[in-house]
Amino acid sequence: MLARHGEAPRRDVAYRLRPGAYAVLVHRGRVLLTEQQMPGRQELQLPGGGVDPGESPLPALHREVLEETGYRCAGFRRLGAYRRYTYMEEYDLYAEKLCTIYLGRPGPRQGPPVEPGHRAVWMDGTKAVSALWNPADRPWLSRGLALSGG
């Protein structure tokens, strides 16, 4: 059974399963994050996102990191996973998010992010932990930093 983070699922809502892959990308103690512009706020997040139907998690993760940060990435190993029930306003969707977290290395920058409303942010690892918008990702970032020596 996977740990659940955040709010308990509502009984009056039909949730759609939304698998996702997210990256802890560490280089010399600094972490590559994505800043997403949301209505009325900005969120610092681990780069990554939804795994499309027919897509495998690692190709999805490579695609999402490139779209959201403009960087390539490599060397992934799975850290773990958790479940989160949430309303995704950008999709007008109640989702049961199955979030799988991977530790990897950032590669070369290919250009600016192509995902609208995103920008790449490099941050000191210890500051990044508390700066993440989603508190469920914070322990995974801490674990990734410890494993990477960052």
Side-chain angles (χ1 to χ4, degrees):
M1 178 61 100
L2 289 179
R4 178 185 50 83
H5 291 274
E7 297 179 17
R10 292 175 36 185
R11 287 181 165 42
D12 64 329
V13 169
Y15 291 89
R16 190 171 107 202
L17 183 62
R18 179 93 169 129
Y22 301 87
V24 172
L25 298 168
V26 182
H27 180 70
R28 296 184 180 158
R30 294 175 52 89
V31 178
L32 177 60
L33 302 174
T34 184
E35 182 181 71
Q36 183 176 8
Q37 186 74 34
M38 301 293 286
R41 68 183 189 276
Q42 295 174 334
E43 299 175 355
L44 279 175
Q45 305 169 347
L46 294 178
V51 177
D52 293 335
E55 189 176 34
S56 296
L58 286 177
L61 186 55
H62 284 274
R63 175 183 54 76
E64 287 282 349
V65 169
L66 185 60
E67 288 174 356
E68 293 181 354
T69 69
Y71 283 82
R72 297 242 178 241
C73 48
F76 285 116
R77 71 184 218 201
R78 186 179 185 274
L79 290 176
Y82 69 91
R83 198 172 297 278
R84 183 165 73 99
Y85 295 87
T86 188
Y87 176 70
M88 299 175 69
E89 57 190 277
E90 64 268 31
Y91 300 108
D92 189 26
L93 168 74
Y94 283 93
E96 174 188 357
K97 293 184 78 173
L98 175 56
C99 304
T100 304
I101 313 295
Y102 294 87
L103 174 63
R105 296 182 315 276
R109 184 165 191 239
Q110 302 299 294
V114 296
E115 184 77 24
H118 285 265
R119 93 178 164 93
V121 174
W122 283 98
M123 186 175 278
D124 175 75
T126 55
K127 290 180 183 174
V129 172
S130 61
L132 283 176
W133 170 80
N134 180 5
D137 289 337
R138 293 174 187 161
W140 297 108
L141 177 51
S142 292
R143 184 171 182 215
L145 286 164
L147 289 171
S148 68

